[in-house]
Amino acid sequence: MSTIANSNPTDGGPSRYHARSLVIWARTNLFARPIDVILTSGIALAAVALIWAVLPWAILDATWQGSSRADCRPDAACWAFIINRSGQFIYGFYPATERWRVDLVFLAFAAALLVLLNRRLAGKQVAAAFLILVFPFLSFVLLHGGIGGLPRVTTEKWGGLSLTILLGVAGIVVSFPIAIVLALGRQSEMPVLRWASVGYIEICRGLPLIAVLFMARILLPYAFPPGTEFDPLALAVVGIILFESAYLAEVFRGGLQAIPKGQAEAASAIGFGYWRTAIYITLPQMLRMVVPGIVNNAIALLKNTTLVVILGLFEVLNIVAAGAADPDWLGLHAEGYIFVGLVFWTLCFGMSRYSQRLERDMRSAERA
Amino acid sequence: MKKLTIVLAALAFAGAATNTAGAADGDTVKAIKARGELLCGVSTGVSTGMSTLDNQGNWKGMEVEFCRGLAAAVLGDPSKVKFVPLEFRVAFTTLQSGAADILARTATWSYSRDTSLNLDWAGVYMYDGQGFMVAKKLGAKSGKELNGASICVSAGTTSELNLADYFRANNLKFTAITGSTREQNQQNLEAGRCDAYSNERGGLAASRTAMKNPDDWVILPDVFSKEPLGPTVRQDDARFRDIVAWTLNIIVAAEEFGITRANVSELTKTSTNPEVQRMLGKSGEFGKMLGLEQDWAAKVIATTGNYAELYDRNLGNGSPIKLERGLNSLWSNGGLLYSPPFR
């Protein structure tokens, strides 16, 4: 089954076969009936008209280089704004000479992820161990510095797209184990554990993230001695984890409840205890089932990270909004928001495509 | 990443433990000196001309520079400021909680805020007020000529109420075209969806700069609301309030006496004017009276320049915003800026 689904793109022969199949495909899908012909050509015309209207503004007449809005043509896009400030939009206030550290952290993350996700590459255990055991320390030491001759870069200097990704990754990865414990706790037969889990989930899920961040900003200083300073990034990460773990826990509970009772009964029949049943029988099946839910949450979380501006952190949206208020670049909100929109769409679409591939792989693995 | 967060959280609490010099016990200066930096609450980089970020990520703007001047007065070093970016919704409570020493965040001084927030305004560094922006080709010279006009205004703001009051008081009619943000109103005006846009004049000037062709638009001379913007401090520390107020006064007085960023060190040595000598620490013990160094005022002027320089660089003709000074001129030029004497 899986061979049929996957054979075409990779071993497709010369393009003649492709071109002919494309014509056949178009005829059956786009031009089968008169109404299809009308709809297809109507949509195509609208698309062409839209591109025709936008292209001169967006590309042809646009300005790509300059140091302020005065260098840009007034009637076309001013991408010089994005290009000129791209370093700030990606790295925040991280010192220019130290930005290689951020690059290195994301390269290491990408490399480990690639090994982990690509079916053809070996060394998955090593990559997983690196990602969970070594990478967090390595990235913190690299980003924060202060030892081994690396200059210290305090967390309020972190910002831009790298901060957005950092918050998203930290939020999901740390919430993951907490959420599993909460989901198991909610189904536990021990009342105290169950009540505690239900209480945590219902309270944290009932609060909007924005309210949690407001409380961190406004109420926390009153609860500590005067003059106490809090690291805003730590507050943001803790707030996001509180919130996200409650949501993920409910996703996991849904998955656990979908597993037939017989599975656990069969496990106990062959002498498995609670933990062995969970680790070897229920959790693996549950995780396979909830991939779409996890990705859905990850996408929502990534977009929620824009709220950390309440703590004074400049993730990608707010650093671009600030850029567009700079007197030198006033009036370029459209360019800024288009850029931010593209960045978020790319990240979210990438996650969604990956989740679809993961589901496909898992389905074929089940059938194999 | 899990470990990273734990380390971060631990770091935050370690920071909390080592830094317990009290700010809320009323001695702000002591806390600032113990900390080694001034915590200045500013906007999240969106307050054009007041607090924004430049291409290199440094803070700039009139309120930013005021805080640098204040740091020069208290700590002797204008670079010892930590800017705390605050959304407007959390600004006043952050100041009250002690997480900022001062708010320089376009906060309008009003009766209810002054009396109910436990905060004080230590003066006014910009007298803003609501006005109109229209197309130059409309030919209007005053808001009173706008009878029957459609006017863009932000929905649900005091601007909307002020606008209705103005037209009712003048027995004129208008149609409100409401937008939700400054950018939206600006685009509505540019697209001809309304004849005029009404907002604070500082905001209007920023909107004008954002237009495709700023020269096609004029801000009418009418000012029909009071929006005095000034530095905000906690009410429990009269000494710190004095320091902030006199930092502002010295900037105004410097313009009156012709002291500039360029000539301040020269005048410190050569000026024969007794008041300038007292201001710059040449005679008397005026620094000690505020608990500051003798040359504190000279350091402030060396940082911000006098008011004319400060305004011109950030809001006036030396900036892209090009807002005329209007009420923000010296009293001797028909404005409202007036410093009590240094005596």
Side-chain angles (χ1 to χ4, degrees), chain A:
Chain A
M1 182 104 192
S2 65
T3 48
I4 296 168
N6 290 328
S7 61
N8 274 345
T10 42
D11 66 2
S15 55
R16 240 182 73 195
Y17 169 74
H18 263 288
R20 238 183 48 219
S21 70
L22 205 68
V23 170
I24 294 166
W25 179 87
R27 208 174 279 161
T28 51
N29 288 290
L30 300 178
F31 301 103
R33 293 169 300 161
I35 183 83
D36 292 339
V37 175
I38 294 169
L39 281 176
T40 302
S41 41
I43 291 170
L45 269 176
V48 168
L50 189 73
I51 291 169
W52 194 257
V54 170
L55 203 63
W57 180 85
I59 311 278
L60 297 179
D61 297 339
T63 312
W64 302 86
Q65 277 180 333
S67 55
S68 81
R69 182 167 173 243
D71 299 334
C72 289
R73 280 184 59 160
D75 54 350
C78 182
W79 301 117
F81 167 53
I82 307 293
I83 291 165
N84 197 301
R85 289 175 90 114
S86 58
Q88 196 183 105
F89 292 167
I90 295 170
Y91 301 101
F93 314 111
Y94 216 85
T97 50
E98 305 296 323
R99 282 176 185 168
W100 60 270
R101 285 151 61 174
V102 183
D103 294 338
L104 201 62
V105 165
F106 283 104
L107 267 177
F109 181 67
L113 218 55
L114 192 74
V115 173
L116 215 53
L117 303 184
N118 196 316
R119 271 170 299 162
R120 266 162 282 173
L121 291 176
K124 292 206 174 7
Q125 278 87 353
V126 180
F130 169 77
L131 214 52
I132 294 166
L133 300 173
V134 185
F135 180 72
F137 289 111
L138 189 77
S139 53
F140 181 76
V141 167
L142 255 176
L143 290 176
H144 192 265
I147 43 171
L150 286 171
R152 200 169 147 182
V153 182
T154 48
T155 53
E156 73 251 11
K157 289 211 158 53
W158 306 9
L161 182 58
S162 51
L163 179 68
T164 300
I165 296 175
L166 182 91
L167 287 171
V169 170
I172 284 290
V173 172
V174 181
S175 301
F176 208 91
I178 301 175
I180 288 181
V181 171
L182 284 171
L184 290 174
R186 189 164 186 163
Q187 295 209 314
S188 165
E189 277 153 17
M190 288 179 267
V192 176
L193 198 61
R194 193 169 64 239
W195 293 336
S197 302
V198 170
Y200 176 91
I201 290 169
E202 293 304 334
I203 289 170
C204 291
R205 203 168 53 132
L207 292 172
L209 180 59
I210 194 167
V212 175
L213 297 177
F214 267 126
M215 283 194 284
R217 169 97 252 177
I218 293 172
L219 291 182
L220 213 56
Y222 286 108
F224 287 84
T228 309
E229 280 186 64
F230 295 95
D231 187 319
L233 182 62
L235 289 182
V237 170
V238 170
I240 285 174
I241 289 167
L242 279 179
F243 175 81
E244 188 61 22
S245 53
Y247 267 85
L248 268 184
E250 285 299 277
V251 172
F252 291 160
R253 183 172 68 101
L256 285 174
Q257 282 177 342
I259 297 170
K261 269 251 152 39
Q263 297 273 335
E265 286 165 5
S268 68
I270 56 170
F272 273 29
Y274 178 81
W275 287 110
R276 286 222 290 174
T277 310
I279 291 166
Y280 293 108
I281 309 292
T282 46
L283 288 183
Q285 298 188 60
M286 177 275 281
L287 288 177
R288 205 171 292 169
M289 241 178 289
V290 298
V291 167
I294 296 172
V295 173
N296 200 25
N297 264 306
I299 288 174
L301 172 68
L302 192 76
K303 289 186 281 191
N304 265 336
T305 56
T306 54
L307 296 175
V308 298
V309 70
I310 290 164
L311 295 168
L313 294 170
F314 289 90
E315 44 56 65
V316 66
L317 173 65
N318 285 289
I319 207 159
V320 171
D326 179 349
D328 290 340
W329 297 106
L330 264 184
L332 301 178
H333 282 91
E335 286 86 342
Y337 288 137
I338 288 171
F339 169 73
V340 175
L342 283 176
V343 164
F344 272 106
W345 183 82
T346 309
L347 290 174
C348 295
F349 185 67
M351 278 196 271
S352 143
R353 296 300 301 178
Y354 167 63
S355 114
Q356 284 175 17
R357 219 197 72 193
L358 203 63
E359 282 169 55
R360 218 170 41 230
D361 288 358
M362 284 175 169
R363 228 176 295 140
S364 53
E366 262 171 39
R367 280 167 189 160

Side-chain angles (χ1 to χ4, degrees), chain B residues 23 49 62 65 67 71 75 80 110 121 131 140 144 151 169-170 177 180 200 212 219 221 225 242 259 265 300 323:
Chain B
M62 189 152 116
E65 288 199 44
C67 276
L75 295 166
K80 289 191 174 154
S110 73
W121 268 256
K144 301 210 170 63
I151 295 177
N170 287 301
I177 310 284
S180 57
E200 277 93 59
K212 280 199 186 94
I219 297 170
S225 79
D242 281 349
I259 311 170
S265 59
V300 171
L323 180 65

Side-chain angles (χ1 to χ4, degrees), chain B residues 246-312:
Chain B
W246 283 98
T247 300
L248 184 52
N249 286 335
I250 198 81
I251 293 171
V252 171
E255 183 181 358
E256 200 175 330
F257 290 97
I259 311 170
T260 65
R261 194 147 68 157
N263 71 12
V264 59
S265 59
E266 174 75 18
L267 281 179
T268 308
K269 286 175 229 136
T270 60
S271 177
T272 52
N273 182 323
E275 185 155 3
V276 172
Q277 286 187 347
R278 285 194 295 272
M279 280 160 64
L280 299 180
K282 185 83 180 296
S283 65
E285 297 216 309
F286 278 65
K288 201 184 273 175
M289 292 180 200
L290 262 184
L292 300 175
E293 299 295 316
Q294 183 69 2
D295 62 347
W296 72 275
K299 281 194 169 139
V300 171
I301 299 168
T303 304
T304 63
N306 64 37
Y307 189 88
E309 294 177 279
L310 182 64
Y311 186 93
D312 189 64

Side-chain angles (χ1 to χ4, degrees), chain A residues 69 74 84-85 88 93 136 140 174 214 218 222 227-229 237 310 312 314 322 325-331 333, chain B residues 1-2 4-5 7-8 16 19 35 44-46 48 52-55 57 60 82 85 90 96 183 206 209-212:
Chain A
R69 182 167 173 243
N84 197 301
R85 289 175 90 114
Q88 196 183 105
F93 314 111
F140 181 76
V174 181
F214 267 126
I218 293 172
Y222 286 108
T228 309
E229 280 186 64
V237 170
I310 290 164
F314 289 90
D326 179 349
D328 290 340
W329 297 106
L330 264 184
H333 282 91
Chain B
M1 277 299 170
K2 181 183 182 180
L4 165 68
T5 318
V7 174
L8 278 175
N19 203 339
R35 198 190 300 123
T44 53
V46 295
T48 306
T52 52
L53 296 160
D54 69 8
N55 289 347
K60 69 173 181 185
K82 186 165 148 195
V90 300
Q96 286 160 343
E183 294 81 56
T209 311
M211 292 286 193
K212 280 199 186 94

